[in-house]
């Protein structure tokens, strides 16, 4: 019994030392692309070490990335307007700008409309969601200013009663945050 125990412990010791031959670890066979990429990364690392260049390049925004953020912001603004317009058309009751439940309902409805618009134009969902949310919040806070500036257009789009309600309950040139007006 002692001999078997000793052989077992010797075997465990040999296995814990690691492989005795230069057998590569198991895994997928390296493709030519993998070998080329490894070679290029080694060359790049040597070049950076020789020249003292920073290890990570500074990312720059391309024109298409900036434009897609602006489009996402515009979709957010459009979604907030459409949410308020659809809510008015469905309920027939003007939005109470000071009520927190109305604001929450408008925001949730605007996010749903923004999702539908984003799918319609195939905009990247995760990357531009912040810009869309910023557009929704911007429109929720400033849509009444557009109504004050263009009451005829909004009365054609929605109704004269809705425009009269917005003009009567809000002041022009203000930000409307949770029912509180702040002068611009």
């Amino acid at each position: 019994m002692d001999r078997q125990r000793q052989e077992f412990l010797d075997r465990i010791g040999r296995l814990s030392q690691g492989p005795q031959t230069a057998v590569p670890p198991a895994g997928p066979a390296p493709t030519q692309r993998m070998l080329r990429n490894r070679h290029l990364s080694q060359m790049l690392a040597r070049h950076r070490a020789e020249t003292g260049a920073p290890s990570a390049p500074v990312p720059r925004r391309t024109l298409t990335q900036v434009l897609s953020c602006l489009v996402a912001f515009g979709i957010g603004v459009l979604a907030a307007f459409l949410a308020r317009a659809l809510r008015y058309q469905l309920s027939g009751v003007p939005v109470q700008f000071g009520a927190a439940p109305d604001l929450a309902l408008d925001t949730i409805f605007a996010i749903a409309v923004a999702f539908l618009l984003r799918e319609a134009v195939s905009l990247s969902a995760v990357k531009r969601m912040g810009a869309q949310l910023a557009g929704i919040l911007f429109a929720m806070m400033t849509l009444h200013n557009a109504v004050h500036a263009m009451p005829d257009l909004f009365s054609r789009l929605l109704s004269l009663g809705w425009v009269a309600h917005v003009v009567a309950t809000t002041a022009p040139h203000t930000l409307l945050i949770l029912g509180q007006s702040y002068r611009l």
Side-chain angles (χ1 to χ4, degrees):
M1 191 72 147
D2 281 338
R3 184 177 61 83
Q4 285 179 343
R5 180 177 165 89
Q6 186 59 40
E7 287 176 359
F8 176 73
L9 292 174
D10 289 343
R11 207 172 2 193
I12 295 290
R14 283 194 309 269
L15 289 174
S16 65
Q17 290 176 358
Q20 302 298 323
T21 61
V23 176
T31 62
Q32 286 186 345
R33 179 184 289 169
M34 289 172 58
L35 294 173
R36 184 195 64 204
N37 288 345
R38 185 180 308 142
H39 177 69
L40 289 174
S41 64
Q42 289 170 351
M43 286 176 47
L44 186 60
R46 274 197 312 268
H47 175 71
R48 287 183 180 147
E50 291 171 359
T51 60
S55 60
V58 178
R60 293 186 181 150
R61 292 204 180 263
T62 62
L63 181 62
T64 56
Q65 288 173 330
V66 172
L67 287 177
S68 66
C69 281
L70 291 175
V71 167
F73 185 82
I75 286 175
V77 170
L78 182 63
F81 171 72
L82 288 176
R84 287 224 169 127
L86 288 174
R87 183 162 172 238
Y88 175 73
Q89 294 299 325
L90 291 174
S91 67
V93 178
V95 176
Q96 300 296 323
F97 291 107
D102 283 342
L103 180 65
L105 186 62
D106 280 345
T107 305
I108 291 169
F109 201 46
I111 289 171
V113 170
F115 177 76
L116 292 174
L117 289 173
R118 181 178 59 227
E119 292 301 317
V121 297
S122 299
L123 192 66
S124 173
V126 177
K127 291 181 182 179
R128 307 297 175 244
M129 196 172 287
Q132 276 188 328
L133 186 60
I136 289 170
L137 293 176
F138 176 78
M140 292 288 180
M141 292 186 296
T142 60
L143 184 62
H144 64 282
N145 291 324
V147 174
H148 281 283
M150 299 174 283
D152 294 335
L153 175 67
F154 282 96
S155 65
R156 279 188 233 132
L157 291 174
L158 296 172
S159 76
L160 195 55
W162 186 82
V163 171
H165 173 74
V166 170
V167 170
T169 58
T170 61
H173 308 296
T174 59
L175 284 178
L176 193 62
I177 302 172
L178 295 175
Q180 299 293 323
S181 292
Y182 300 98
R183 272 267 181 238
L184 291 178

